[in-house]
Amino acid sequence: MKKVLAVFAALSSFYSVNAMAMCGCMLPPRPPPSMRVANSKLTNKSSKVIIVHDGDRTVVTMANDFDGDAKSFGIVIPVPSAITKEQIHVGEKTMVETLAQATAPQLLEYPAIDPCMRMAPSVAMDRAGSGKMESAAPGAVGGARGPGHTLQVTVEGTYTVGEYDIQILTAENAGDLITWLKQHDYQIPDGAEPVFASYLRQNMHFFLAKVNLKQQASRGYTFLRPIQIAYESPKFMLPIRLGMLNAEEKDGAEQELSVWTITKKGRVESTNYRTVKMPVSQGMLPEYVKNDFEGVYRAAFKNLERREGNDVVFYEYAGYGSTGPIGSANTDPETLRKLGVWWADGTSPAFITRLHFTYDKAHFPEDLVLQETSDSAQTQPVFSVQDDPKSASCMSKQQLHDYLNPGHAQQAQALASLTGWDADDIMRQIDKGPSAKPEETPANKTPDGKDRSWYQNLWK
Amino acid sequence: MADATKPKLDPRLYQIATLTGLLVYGIGWLEFDLTIARVALFVGVALATQYACTKIWKLPKFDPKSALISALSLSLLLRTDSVLFAALGAFIAIASKFVIRWKGKHVFNPTNGAVVAMLLLGKGWVSPGQWGNVAFFGFLMACLGGLVVNRAARSDVTFAFIASYLALVFWRSWHIGEPMTIPIHRLEAGGLLLFTFFMISDPKTTPDSRMGRVIFAELVAAGAYFIQFKLFRTNGVMWSLGIFALTVPVIDALMKGERYQWTRPQPKTDPLPTVVAPTPAAIPAPALLRSAS
């Protein structure tokens, strides 16, 4: 009996991250955890922008995850000056994926500990997928013919770069600009005129891109590659106001954005909105989290947004981009150079900050202004799961279940505080076994996340 | 003889309480990039520096309240990775009061001077967005309450600054055609409120004359606007105050003849000559001021 209790005491201590055998028994060394990073399913709902900035120089990369007909693709973005052809480049999709993987949240999976003190076989490393990225590009396109008259719009440049037809525009007034855009098959939502007008009065120009179908076919691409622009401007900012017009069209849906900034010194944050660090869970999470780590992470993100308010920017990663597990994506100088890091020769460091937020007009009235701090502390959300032993030679199934229960309760609490899900629901999921799927809408919540009332639960 | 209009408690205690409350809120609720240990470091170094300087300059009394206010303000504002530079910041804040002086007044607001020094060294940063907009009204109440307690002693600087800055920010948005939600959002920044009510209002580093103070406030507002919206740099108010602090001696020299607003009789125990007497809200000047007479 004493021996069993001693074993129990020792092994229950394994349910904390810093596992130490406290009982003084001779126990086998704990096998190291396997690690994987969140795959690209994590960011498939958000638009992706990469900004490389130092001094007055900036390189912006827009990853177009447009999944529809290439004919209907079009983007319009404000730029601080007229852009020449040499300042435009079409990059590779893989470089964006590499960056996303190198800065993704990590999941550590601790192998199961046999409660009967035999070494558990180590769990094979989990797959790190790279799924298809599917978010909509900012700025939809459709047909809209305007009246014909002399429009005070100056086309400052017309180029074909890669598979894109690019034009740089400026205008005397926003009305003419919008008419011109509509005449050229750009679908401009209502309410855009004041936004365009305010950019024009700040002496901004407009960068337009559409797909040149012939070029695309001749190059053999079926997806759209990222567009990159290099320019000089003291402004370090992210113009989001145009993007919000699209959001309003979709019945108030929010726009979601993942921004990577690459700078020389340290972490980047917003100066006109609160920037908050994504927290790491304080304890072990249930094993079934590994079945949908990306889904759980997104739930955690949404929960944090609810708690902190919808007018907050979150940073999910700060570091040098090569802290992933061995064999995963790492940002080598060549990838960095492709992303626009002009100093990537291995001597000056390239500090990467990954920001993530959802925005709408009500909570984000202004364009995001960014600043680089000298904070070079590295941070990355890391979550841990503890695998359960599937069976135990010295215990019955029921005994094993009871033995694991206190640990499960702790894990359920950790997951509940992270995601806002109900701890009892989580316990029920845990009891279903390790192949359970993390639920986004647990049984006692309605699909929009509200608690079900007592009478709804009565007759469900 | 007790002055009937003199507040019973030193108003700096209210300021200390407010700053402490804001720190608790920031660390506990807003997840500032700040630890209690760091706050303790700022306070410790500031008090130690004040003590050392008191001894070196042979002041009659060690007064920790001003140093404590500077340390708490620094905790709210200055972020740095390095313990050494945090300590250096607190040291610069206090030491500059003793070392950088002109005709009996120290030139730089201690917290502002330390922040600007750290920004110039590239070793520290300020996060203007750290407050968000949630606590706007709470802030406003705390700041206005401070004014009440201080009996509007130096509120002319505060109001002149915020009126000028407000006008500039609204004018810009109107001129560009941005919706009014944008300047409102800009003015709701907690950091701006703190600057307006607790930093620029420092009576020890603002001009002596009312007209001088109003001009000074307008210069700082214009400078902040220029830095923020023409040069597109951040922390415009910090830089602007640091730069225009250098003009205060000039303003004082040019507007020497102006009547001061100080109308309250001096408490008998005050050892300082009347011409540079501080307001009750002020940080009492070191006895060094007496050497002028």
Side-chain angles (χ1 to χ4, degrees), chain A residues 56 194 197-198 201-202 234-235 241 265 267 269 271-274 276 308 365-366 371 373-377, chain B residues 30-31 33 81 122-130 132 172 175-179 182 185-186 232-235:
Chain A
D56 281 359
S198 67
R201 284 203 206 102
Q202 292 174 70
K235 295 185 193 182
R241 287 176 64 211
K265 266 198 316 185
R267 180 177 59 81
E269 61 180 23
T271 59
N272 52 354
Y273 296 95
R274 262 183 77 212
V276 171
E308 297 291 344
E366 290 190 79
Q371 76 168 357
T373 66
S374 49
D375 181 8
S376 54
Chain B
L30 294 180
E31 286 143 42
D33 190 11
D81 270 351
K123 290 296 180 186
W125 67 93
V126 176
S127 297
Q130 69 184 0
R172 178 187 170 79
H175 175 70
I176 282 175
E178 288 174 337
I182 290 184
H185 186 254
R186 286 180 180 148
F232 302 107
R233 302 293 173 212
T234 58
N235 295 307

Side-chain angles (χ1 to χ4, degrees), chain B residues 49-63 98 271 285-291:
Chain B
T49 312
Q50 177 79 20
Y51 185 77
C53 292
T54 306
K55 289 293 170 210
I56 295 171
W57 271 268
K58 297 194 176 49
L59 302 186
K61 203 173 89 133
F62 166 65
D63 188 353
F98 292 84
L288 192 59
L289 283 175
R290 267 205 298 183
S291 65

Side-chain angles (χ1 to χ4, degrees), chain A residues 117-429:
Chain A
M117 286 179 61
R118 281 199 284 277
M119 246 322 208
S122 56
V123 177
M125 183 151 168
D126 236 337
R127 75 276 176 229
S130 63
K132 202 152 85 86
M133 297 190 277
E134 289 168 25
S135 67
V141 177
R145 299 267 160 216
H149 70 271
T150 312
L151 298 171
Q152 291 180 299
V153 174
T154 311
V155 179
E156 293 169 322
T158 303
Y159 323 115
T160 300
V161 181
E163 63 266 33
Y164 295 101
D165 283 333
I166 297 187
Q167 286 175 298
I168 314 294
L169 290 189
T170 187
E172 292 301 309
N173 65 74
D176 281 357
L177 179 61
I178 288 175
T179 307
W180 189 100
L181 289 169
K182 286 181 176 173
Q183 283 176 351
H184 289 78
D185 294 333
Y186 286 90
Q187 189 177 61
I188 306 297
D190 297 332
E193 190 166 335
V195 180
F196 277 105
S198 67
Y199 283 131
L200 284 173
R201 284 203 206 102
Q202 292 174 70
N203 299 322
M204 310 261 298
H205 305 238
F206 289 90
F207 176 100
L208 281 54
K210 275 168 121 167
V211 179
N212 182 318
L213 295 167
K214 252 200 310 209
Q215 283 287 335
Q216 194 199 24
S218 72
R219 284 164 198 272
Y221 291 119
T222 49
F223 52 82
L224 296 177
R225 296 183 296 159
I227 299 177
Q228 297 181 288
I229 314 173
Y231 59 87
E232 285 188 3
S233 167
K235 295 185 193 182
F236 187 15
M237 55 168 287
L238 194 61
I240 54 178
R241 287 176 64 211
L242 280 179
M244 286 194 278
L245 297 169
N246 283 325
E248 289 197 355
E249 285 226 316
K250 296 175 206 161
D251 300 324
E254 296 164 324
Q255 293 279 321
E256 191 171 327
L257 196 50
S258 285
V259 182
W260 286 262
T261 62
I262 308 181
T263 48
K264 275 188 186 166
K265 266 198 316 185
R267 180 177 59 81
V268 166
E269 61 180 23
S270 170
T271 59
N272 52 354
Y273 296 95
R274 262 183 77 212
T275 309
V276 171
K277 186 161 79 169
M278 266 303 282
V280 181
S281 75
Q282 294 308 307
M284 287 286 185
L285 299 177
E287 183 181 0
Y288 75 83
V289 163
K290 72 182 185 200
N291 297 331
D292 189 14
F293 174 45
E294 291 75 17
V296 170
Y297 183 83
R298 280 195 67 78
F301 178 76
K302 288 287 162 200
N303 190 39
L304 186 66
E305 266 195 324
R306 267 194 297 271
R307 268 206 335 250
E308 297 291 344
N310 292 328
D311 56 352
V312 174
V313 174
F314 299 94
Y315 76 92
E316 295 174 322
Y317 178 91
Y320 297 98
S322 47
T323 52
I326 310 290
S328 78
N330 286 305
T331 48
D332 53 301
E334 204 200 309
T335 306
L336 288 173
R337 197 160 191 93
K338 286 186 198 157
L339 288 164
V341 182
W342 59 88
W343 68 88
D345 54 1
T347 54
S348 285
F351 196 91
I352 305 170
T353 313
R354 173 170 165 159
L355 303 169
H356 182 198
F357 61 107
T358 52
Y359 60 95
D360 61 20
K361 200 165 154 187
H363 298 98
F364 281 84
E366 290 190 79
D367 286 336
L368 217 67
V369 179
L370 299 169
Q371 76 168 357
E372 184 185 13
T373 66
S374 49
D375 181 8
S376 54
Q378 298 186 53
T379 180
Q380 180 165 20
V382 177
F383 298 87
S384 308
V385 296
Q386 171 71 62
D387 285 352
D388 289 329
K390 305 295 169 276
S391 63
S393 51
C394 57
M395 296 183 196
S396 70
K397 261 213 158 352
Q398 183 57 42
Q399 279 176 325
L400 181 62
H401 176 271
D402 293 342
Y403 163 74
L404 292 173
N405 215 45
H408 285 168
Q410 274 184 331
Q411 292 168 3
Q413 275 306 320
L415 187 59
S417 71
L418 189 66
T419 55
W421 296 342
D422 180 67
D424 291 331
D425 279 340
I426 295 170
M427 283 299 279
R428 271 193 285 274
Q429 284 296 96

Side-chain angles (χ1 to χ4, degrees), chain A residues 33-76:
Chain A
S34 62
M35 170 158 61
R36 73 168 181 91
V37 292
N39 64 30
S40 57
K41 182 187 158 200
L42 189 64
T43 50
N44 66 358
K45 291 204 180 99
S46 56
S47 303
K48 294 183 239 322
V49 177
I50 300 157
I51 308 178
V52 181
H53 180 88
D54 186 63
D56 281 359
R57 297 184 189 173
T58 305
V59 177
V60 174
T61 304
M62 290 162 290
N64 306 305
D65 303 326
F66 189 68
D67 210 16
D69 186 359
K71 249 196 321 213
S72 58
F73 171 82
I75 58 167
V76 179

